[in-house]
Amino acid sequence: MVKKIRLNDEQWNTLQALLEAHTQKLPTDAIRVSERLRSNGLVTSDRQGSNFLTEQGMRRLNQGR
């Protein structure tokens, strides 16, 4: 089980936007990601600067708001 990190509206919307972009195979480099999401292991980026959800980020989204 993943610790349910409390997210503000902006952080929650960012996770949802990354999931939607991934689902639709859209670029994610324009989605602004807070350092808090990265430091908690919910989001990371590749060498090209594209942002994406980690498995932990996916599990956090599945926990609901």
Side-chain angles (χ1 to χ4, degrees):
M1 177 155 158
V2 173
K3 178 181 168 188
K4 190 167 182 178
I5 299 164
R6 186 174 296 219
L7 302 173
N8 64 30
D9 290 341
E10 181 181 347
Q11 294 162 341
W12 180 255
N13 292 337
T14 298
L15 292 182
Q16 290 181 312
L18 287 170
L19 177 61
E20 186 175 320
H22 173 74
T23 302
Q24 297 178 17
K25 299 188 183 333
L26 299 172
T28 61
D29 51 329
I31 299 173
R32 200 169 138 241
V33 176
S34 71
E35 188 55 38
R36 184 166 184 259
L37 291 176
R38 292 181 194 283
S39 67
N40 281 296
L42 302 177
V43 177
T44 193
S45 58
D46 62 16
R47 293 181 190 182
Q48 288 77 34
S50 295
N51 299 307
F52 57 94
L53 291 171
T54 62
E55 286 183 29
Q56 187 172 340
M58 292 291 290
R59 286 193 297 267
R60 177 59 187 90
L61 265 176
N62 289 331
Q63 289 176 337
R65 185 72 175 106

